[in-house]
Amino acid sequence: VTEKITIIGTGNVAHHLGKRFKEKGFTINQIVGRNAEKAAQLAAILGADFSIKLKKIKKDSAVYIIAVSDDAIVDVAKKIAKNIDNQLVVHTSGSVPSSVLQPYIKHFGSFYPLQTFSINSQPNFDDIPIFYNATPTLDAIRTPPQYFQDFLEKIALSISKKAYLLPDDKRIILHIAAVFVNNFTNYLYTIGEDILKNEQLPFDVLKPLIAETVRKIENNPPKDMQTGPAKRGDIATIEKHLDYLNNHTPQYLELYTLLTNQILKNK
Amino acid sequence: VTEKITIIGTGNVAHHLGKRFKEKGFTINQIVGRNAEKAAQLAAILGADFSIKLKKIKKDSAVYIIAVSDDAIVDVAKKIAKNIDNQLVVHTSGSVPSSVLQPYIKHFGSFYPLQTFSINSQPNFDDIPIFYNATPTLDAIRTPPQYFQDFLEKIALSISKKAYLLPDDKRIILHIAAVFVNNFTNYLYTIGEDILKNEQLPFDVLKPLIAETVRKIENNPPKDMQTGPAKRGDIATIEKHLDYLNNHTPQYLELYTLLTNQILKNK
């Protein structure tokens, strides 16, 4: 692999993407970040140069991956624009259309790995679906010339077994679904822990149940795996639960009621 | 192991508990169920007798496990009472106090495995926490005499590595927490699938994310693992999501709003 990659950002996505690209033989050309210490640290791990100056980034990368928070993307694009000519610039956001780059960048796109990254965990990259899109312009500079979308597909399939071309307006849907199954699910775990803590019971006792809940949907649609008092229409049990919540943890009463009513309705 | 066990019920709990007890060398004395075919089938698997007559169950078991739906427990107790003298009778419900057995049964208790059982999945029993309680009366009949609670602990630890003595009024709390982390989580998976289906995207793309969400809480409190737009206070993204939901799947708007507000509040 001879393609050089510049990564802008030093957070979890920058970190994990950078490591994975390096592992697969790509050259990480430069890490660019506002925080010099973090940029230097990540650059050292990846064997890359680093810079804190967006306006002076190196020009010789094939692709520039903007892995910063959503509200900083446009500002980054503005600042790097002067040094970007025919190179491809993508961002990694689930919610921001790649077209926000258009006023500043000629060849733009997105490169969205659908996963929750945290500093201490090493996800299995092979399984992470990567969703990409780019202006389908032919890159005449390269030898052989190729479409930017094909280029993104190629690098996506270098680091994962799953790559999907997906237009901007559909990516947000993935992100919403991800919020439900990841962020909201984690919040339900927090509630479980909190309810047990009130009674000096350890959260650990719920972990086999949590693991089994996931195991059951590996090969079955979640709709078919629904169980519990609401699914059974077991009103007596639901009323006991509401009564307990009302008396002990009323902050979860509304959520219990809403979820129960929706499951009852879809039963 | 010489203790004989009678199981009343032929559903998932009866099935999995029976198989596990047999695997660990217990004798399943009799399976009792309303449906003759199901009772015969389970009895055959377990090398047990079977009966459809609650009033004529065999008297020579050490413990009778009532593994039927919550609203049938009292009726079962009434009907078997005539043949129960000093034997122990427990039920497996998370929500029903064992004291509902008291009017009919002298030595009663509960034996609650905290897990979601389904017919096609083989959970790892070693890890399933079992919560038990019983009237702490000495069983003078047995040799050596022992307290019923000790007996339940002993059989619980024969089939699992985790057994906890827990009074009736606390068991319901486990059940409520289980509803949040299992039943409600599964419903969130269903929503994720439904949102993707609207856009012809396969649910499979969410599975690595779901697996990672669980993996992150193996060694960390879920509260510390919370991520997402609400946790970040990323109102711009939240508004885009609300806008999409409002236009495409309004049935999930209220739930998204409630969960987001609660995470925002606890951030």
Side-chain angles (χ1 to χ4, degrees):
Chain A
V1 198
T2 56
E3 310 287 4
K4 289 186 186 175
I5 297 173
T6 290
I7 295 177
I8 300 157
T10 57
N12 288 327
V13 175
H15 190 93
H16 285 288
L17 268 185
K19 275 173 71 173
R20 180 64 173 180
F21 275 120
K22 182 175 155 65
E23 193 180 295
K24 290 296 179 178
F26 288 85
T27 300
I28 309 299
N29 192 14
Q30 194 174 35
I31 297 294
V32 188
R34 280 176 304 191
N35 181 317
E37 195 184 327
K38 281 190 184 169
Q41 210 166 28
L42 181 55
I45 293 171
L46 301 176
D49 290 345
F50 79 92
S51 171
I52 58 164
K53 296 194 169 148
L54 284 164
K55 290 184 178 164
K56 294 190 178 171
I57 59 171
K58 291 166 76 177
K59 297 182 180 182
D60 60 332
S61 285
V63 61
Y64 294 73
I65 300 176
I66 304 179
V68 302
S69 63
D70 286 1
D71 53 4
I73 291 172
V74 168
D75 188 54
V76 165
K78 272 186 208 169
K79 286 184 176 151
I80 64 174
K82 195 171 63 76
N83 282 1
I84 302 293
D85 183 15
N86 282 302
Q87 312 98 301
L88 177 63
V89 178
V90 297
H91 70 60
T92 58
S93 165
S95 305
V96 175
S98 61
S99 57
V100 301
L101 304 173
Q102 192 160 21
Y104 316 102
I105 306 287
K106 192 161 139 202
H107 303 308
F108 59 89
S110 79
F111 193 83
Y112 175 54
L114 181 56
Q115 186 51 285
T116 172
F117 293 104
S118 50
I119 206 66
N120 294 315
S121 83
Q122 207 55 259
N124 180 4
F125 239 104
D126 272 342
D127 292 335
I128 300 176
I130 295 174
F131 297 87
Y132 64 90
N133 70 321
T135 41
T137 320
L138 190 68
D139 177 10
I141 306 289
R142 241 164 273 215
T143 313
Q146 61 181 325
Y147 288 98
F148 285 110
Q149 285 184 347
D150 297 340
F151 171 75
L152 287 180
E153 182 188 34
K154 194 186 72 178
I155 68 168
L157 288 176
S158 304
I159 61 172
S160 166
K161 285 189 288 194
K162 293 171 193 164
Y164 303 86
L165 174 64
L166 194 78
D168 272 344
D169 59 328
K170 293 219 168 186
R171 195 168 54 254
I172 193 173
I173 294 149
L174 283 175
H175 193 219
I176 295 171
V179 166
F180 275 96
V181 304
N182 165 25
N183 305 146
F184 290 166
T185 288
N186 188 77
Y187 183 64
L188 294 184
Y189 298 159
T190 306
I191 293 177
E193 180 176 42
D194 196 41
I195 287 173
L196 293 192
K197 203 182 277 169
N198 277 334
E199 305 285 346
Q200 286 83 50
L201 289 164
F203 179 60
D204 275 359
V205 301
L206 292 177
K207 288 182 181 171
L209 179 62
I210 289 171
E212 179 70 7
T213 307
V214 173
R215 212 168 64 88
K216 281 166 75 172
I217 59 153
E218 266 168 31
N219 298 305
N220 300 287
K223 200 171 168 47
D224 297 350
M225 294 296 106
Q226 189 64 52
T227 56
K231 174 68 183 178
R232 289 194 306 272
D234 178 353
I235 303 297
T237 297
I238 291 168
E239 280 177 354
K240 280 183 211 170
H241 289 181
L242 292 173
D243 192 50
Y244 175 85
L245 290 167
N246 193 35
N247 289 320
H248 296 82
T249 50
Q251 68 272 31
Y252 304 130
L253 191 63
E254 189 183 353
L255 185 57
Y256 183 100
T257 307
L258 180 58
L259 284 160
T260 294
N261 284 338
Q262 296 214 357
I263 298 170
L264 279 167
K265 219 185 289 172
N266 289 301
K267 162 167 101 81
Chain B
V1 197
T2 57
E3 310 287 3
K4 289 185 184 172
I5 296 173
T6 290
I7 295 177
I8 300 157
T10 56
N12 288 328
V13 176
H15 190 93
H16 285 289
L17 268 185
K19 274 174 72 173
R20 181 63 172 181
F21 274 121
K22 182 178 157 64
E23 191 180 297
K24 289 297 181 176
F26 288 85
T27 301
I28 308 299
N29 192 14
Q30 193 175 36
I31 298 294
V32 188
R34 279 176 303 190
N35 180 317
E37 195 183 327
K38 282 191 184 169
Q41 210 166 27
L42 181 54
I45 293 171
L46 302 175
D49 289 345
F50 79 92
S51 171
I52 56 163
K53 297 194 169 149
L54 284 165
K55 290 185 177 164
K56 292 187 179 172
I57 60 170
K58 290 165 77 177
K59 297 182 180 183
D60 60 331
S61 285
V63 60
Y64 294 74
I65 300 176
I66 304 178
V68 301
S69 64
D70 286 2
D71 54 4
I73 292 172
V74 168
D75 187 54
V76 166
K78 272 186 208 172
K79 286 183 176 151
I80 64 173
K82 195 170 65 75
N83 283 3
I84 301 293
D85 183 16
N86 282 299
Q87 312 100 299
L88 177 62
V89 178
V90 296
H91 70 59
T92 58
S93 165
S95 304
V96 175
S98 61
S99 57
V100 302
L101 305 173
Q102 194 161 20
Y104 317 102
I105 307 287
K106 192 162 139 202
H107 303 310
F108 60 89
S110 78
F111 193 82
Y112 175 54
L114 180 54
Q115 186 50 284
T116 172
F117 294 103
S118 49
I119 208 63
N120 294 316
S121 81
Q122 208 56 258
N124 179 3
F125 240 103
D126 273 342
D127 292 335
I128 300 176
I130 295 175
F131 297 87
Y132 63 91
N133 71 321
T135 42
T137 321
L138 190 68
D139 176 11
I141 306 290
R142 242 165 271 215
T143 313
Q146 61 181 324
Y147 288 97
F148 285 111
Q149 285 184 345
D150 298 338
F151 170 75
L152 286 180
E153 183 189 33
K154 195 186 72 178
I155 67 167
L157 288 175
S158 304
I159 60 172
S160 167
K161 285 191 286 194
K162 295 171 191 164
Y164 303 86
L165 176 62
L166 194 79
D168 273 342
D169 60 327
K170 294 220 168 185
R171 195 169 53 256
I172 192 173
I173 295 149
L174 283 174
H175 193 218
I176 294 171
V179 167
F180 275 96
V181 305
N182 165 23
N183 305 146
F184 289 167
T185 288
N186 188 77
Y187 183 63
L188 295 183
Y189 298 158
T190 307
I191 293 177
E193 180 176 42
D194 196 40
I195 288 172
L196 293 193
K197 202 182 280 170
N198 277 333
E199 305 285 346
Q200 287 83 50
L201 290 164
F203 179 60
D204 275 359
V205 301
L206 292 177
K207 288 182 180 172
L209 179 62
I210 288 171
E212 180 69 8
T213 307
V214 173
R215 211 168 64 90
K216 281 167 75 173
I217 61 154
E218 267 167 27
N219 299 306
N220 300 287
K223 201 174 167 45
D224 297 350
M225 294 297 105
Q226 189 65 50
T227 56
K231 175 68 182 178
R232 289 195 306 273
D234 179 352
I235 304 297
T237 297
I238 292 168
E239 279 174 357
K240 280 183 210 169
H241 289 181
L242 291 174
D243 192 49
Y244 175 85
L245 289 169
N246 192 34
N247 289 321
H248 297 81
T249 50
Q251 67 272 31
Y252 304 130
L253 191 63
E254 189 182 355
L255 185 57
Y256 184 100
T257 306
L258 180 58
L259 284 160
T260 293
N261 283 339
Q262 296 214 355
I263 298 170
L264 280 168
K265 217 186 291 173
N266 289 302
K267 168 164 100 80

